[in-house]
Amino acid sequence: MKAKAFDTKVFKRIMFYTKPYKWRFNGVIIWAISLSIFAALRPYLLKQTVDGYIQTEDEKGLLYYIILMGVVLLLEVISQFYFVYWSNWLGQDIVRDIRTKLFKHMLSFRMKYFDNAPVGQLVTRSVSDIEAIARIFSQGLFMIISDLMKMVAVLGFMFYMNWSLTWIVIVAMPILVIATRVFQKKMQVAFEEVRTQISNLNTFVQERVTGMKIVQLFNREDIEAEKFSEINAKHNKAWIKTVWYNSIFFPIADIISSLTLAMVVWYGGSQILGGNTNTTFGDLFSYTMFIGMLFNPLRQIADKFNEMQMGMIAANRVFDILDTQDQIQDKGSLIAPNFKGEIEFKDVHFGYIENEEVIKGINLKVKESETIAIVGATGAGKSTIINLLNRFYEINSGVICIDGENINSYTLESLREQIAVVLQDVFLFADTIYNNITLNNPNITKEDVITASKKIGVHNFIMSLPNGYDYNVKERGVMLSSGQRQLIAFLRAYVSNPSILILDEATSSIDTYSEELIQGATETITKGRTSIVIAHRLATIVNADKIIVMDKGLIVEQGSHFELLRNENGFYKRLYDSQFAVEKAE
């Protein structure tokens, strides 16, 4: 749906954010009024100076009026300064509030939302679109109000001074108004296309920079460069269209202004030469200033309306996200305690896409302090179980309980505080190792981290790095190997002291040395707490209290490693022979 040139509902929503800054908002209006009065007063004083003191050769009176015009100019400059400063200040505070609200809102979305929303588009909404909203106040709304006030003040002085010359100007104004309106409509369409192309460009660049290794591994540099050129060309074309409209409109506006001035000078000069005392040389001097002060704001209002328009379109996109209700329903009232760790799935059904179930009615019970391993082919639904337990996604039907209580009864925050997950693909922020372990939790001290790292055997590895725990791992942890990132993830889980631990393929892509460290860490971290391991390595499966075998969203077998191997025709036996036996032989 296309955004309107001026959407009243969107504008009211934007204005809602000015409420905490009422005094500053009113102050901007007051400065705008002062600015318009002082600006319109200068040409009037010029008329008085020419007619009353220059023509009469009154040097004393001339000096007085020159000083008076200087004072008025100084007051105009002061008004201009505070008007611009306060309007920009107000705009930046408002976008700060909107950006904070938007980011907090996005943090509450379900994973399903992020599965479908391009990251580059969300970045555009959170950064450049919100900056466009700031320009509503700094370059749009208040500038338009100021210009309109200035035009009203100018017209008032003009009618007071010489109504016959003023009517010449009034007759010419509708022509410029019509041209401005046509220009504004064309720019609305052009700016909407510009915002779309900027979003597409951001999305493309973000994805390719993130996936640069894949681009280079598969020699797709030339292909991706060509695709980028196509998207960039569309972006360029959208901007060129706005340049084209500007190139047409502003010369036309200048011609109208110049012709009007010529008509005023011709008509006024004719009256003076004809002996009409109603028109003076002072009128002609002042009207050369008045016409510029009247027509320039009228012409620039179109440009400022464009800023307003871009801000409105951007605001509409931002509000679309704020209006998106895709949050996990956090209606629970119970604060999750330190769980004993008994977990039960009762006839749970779930699908990421409607009518396409990934989990097809599973029933599973995990005892307190038990370690279970979940195995199965890719797509069997192993990781989905983890996502459902953490309530990243809502189940379609059935019940998931922890310690006999439906997980929906717990507050989302307290539930996730009691569950720690170590993923196969570890994400680290561009920060120190210490901050990546604690995630800036003020309740976890550096001493706690060091003690925990010694217990699970990773302290020496961390201290071998430059600056130790203060070593910056850069974006996504690129300064560490995959095994080292896994060790950091284990330590992150351990220091959070969870009641339930989940290892999702946590040892699938690491070297032998790291695996030995992780195996030791796993024994320490799983001791005394319920643990669910999505298994990849043989050692993890053998040591599990129970193995859950999944296939196509169903639990097809369960039991200990040796119990399952006794079933010669069982699914686990075939899986073991085809995958794990090879590993054992190695």
Side-chain angles (χ1 to χ4, degrees), residues 21 60 62 86 102 109 140 156 235 255 294 303 328 333 360 581:
Y21 313 103
K60 186 176 180 181
L62 176 63
W86 281 26
L102 177 66
F109 284 160
H235 175 262
I255 290 171
L294 190 64
D303 195 38
I328 290 289
S333 57
K360 304 173 182 178

Side-chain angles (χ1 to χ4, degrees), residues 134-368:
R135 291 199 293 273
I136 290 178
F137 298 94
S138 62
Q139 302 295 327
L141 175 65
F142 291 129
M143 289 295 182
I144 293 173
I145 291 174
S146 175
D147 285 344
L148 290 175
M149 287 181 175
K150 189 182 296 183
M151 290 168 65
V152 170
V154 165
L155 283 172
F157 275 104
M158 289 172 72
F159 272 112
Y160 174 74
M161 290 165 50
N162 193 313
W163 64 268
S164 59
L165 293 181
T166 303
W167 276 111
I168 296 175
V169 180
I170 294 296
V171 169
M173 285 183 66
I175 301 173
L176 186 56
V177 170
I178 292 171
T180 301
R181 180 59 178 165
V182 172
F183 172 67
Q184 177 266 319
K185 284 184 176 181
K186 294 291 184 183
M187 290 299 281
Q188 175 198 351
V189 178
F191 276 136
E192 191 170 351
E193 178 63 18
V194 165
R195 298 308 307 169
T196 299
Q197 295 305 327
I198 288 175
S199 179
N200 292 341
L201 198 62
N202 285 344
T203 299
F204 184 89
V205 172
Q206 188 274 332
E207 287 181 346
R208 269 58 185 183
V209 171
T210 303
M212 187 59 70
K213 184 180 289 185
I214 299 299
V215 171
Q216 294 183 354
L217 278 173
F218 289 90
N219 295 316
R220 290 185 58 86
E221 292 92 338
D222 292 339
I223 295 173
E224 297 301 335
E226 186 176 342
K227 285 185 177 180
F228 178 80
S229 295
E230 292 175 3
I231 296 174
N232 197 29
K234 291 179 181 178
H235 175 262
N236 176 259
K237 185 178 179 181
W239 271 112
I240 291 297
K241 190 178 290 185
T242 68
V243 174
W244 168 253
Y245 293 144
N246 277 294
S247 301
I248 294 174
F249 172 74
F250 287 107
I252 290 175
D254 285 337
I255 290 171
I256 296 172
S257 178
S258 298
L259 289 175
T260 304
L261 179 58
M263 289 296 295
V264 167
V265 172
W266 172 78
Y267 181 75
S270 299
Q271 285 193 318
I272 293 173
L273 293 175
N276 189 332
T277 57
N278 291 329
T279 301
T280 65
F281 281 108
D283 289 333
L284 294 183
F285 271 98
S286 61
Y287 267 67
T288 58
M289 293 181 65
F290 275 137
I291 290 173
M293 294 174 66
L294 190 64
F295 277 43
N296 284 341
L298 187 61
R299 183 187 68 178
Q300 291 170 5
I301 277 178
D303 195 38
K304 290 162 186 173
F305 197 87
N306 290 337
E307 293 289 347
M308 186 95 161
Q309 196 164 272
M310 287 191 73
M312 297 288 280
I313 292 171
N316 199 46
R317 296 172 186 269
V318 170
F319 291 148
D320 279 344
I321 297 178
L322 285 173
D323 291 339
T324 300
Q325 298 301 318
D326 205 6
Q327 294 90 350
I328 290 289
Q329 296 301 310
D330 189 10
K331 296 181 179 179
S333 57
L334 298 178
I335 302 298
N338 288 320
F339 291 132
K340 295 178 181 178
E342 184 178 290
I343 303 170
E344 188 171 7
F345 285 67
K346 300 178 182 178
D347 194 28
V348 173
H349 291 257
F350 170 76
Y352 294 101
I353 302 173
E354 191 174 355
N355 300 323
E356 292 185 21
E357 285 192 344
V358 177
I359 300 296
K360 304 173 182 178
I362 67 170
N363 290 279
L364 170 65
K365 189 166 186 177
V366 183
K367 297 178 182 178
E368 177 184 340

Side-chain angles (χ1 to χ4, degrees), residues 95-156:
V95 299
R96 178 198 61 199
D97 296 344
I98 296 176
R99 184 181 282 122
T100 300
K101 184 176 181 180
L102 177 66
F103 188 71
K104 286 183 178 179
H105 190 66
M106 289 194 298
L107 288 175
S108 67
F109 284 160
R110 292 182 292 178
M111 288 298 107
K112 186 177 180 180
Y113 179 86
F114 298 103
D115 293 341
N116 299 318
V119 175
Q121 187 181 85
L122 294 177
V123 171
T124 301
R125 300 292 178 267
S126 304
V127 181
S128 59
D129 277 346
I130 287 187
E131 284 302 323
I133 296 175
R135 291 199 293 273
I136 290 178
F137 298 94
S138 62
Q139 302 295 327
L141 175 65
F142 291 129
M143 289 295 182
I144 293 173
I145 291 174
S146 175
D147 285 344
L148 290 175
M149 287 181 175
K150 189 182 296 183
M151 290 168 65
V152 170
V154 165
L155 283 172

Side-chain angles (χ1 to χ4, degrees), residues 47 264 308 399 444 501:
K47 167 188 164 57
V264 167
M308 186 95 161
V399 178
I444 303 175
L501 176 68

Side-chain angles (χ1 to χ4, degrees), residues 455-472:
K455 283 185 179 179
I456 66 175
V458 299
H459 177 70
N460 292 336
F461 141 66
I462 294 175
M463 293 306 298
S464 68
L465 298 171
N467 299 320
Y469 289 89
D470 295 321
Y471 179 65
N472 193 311

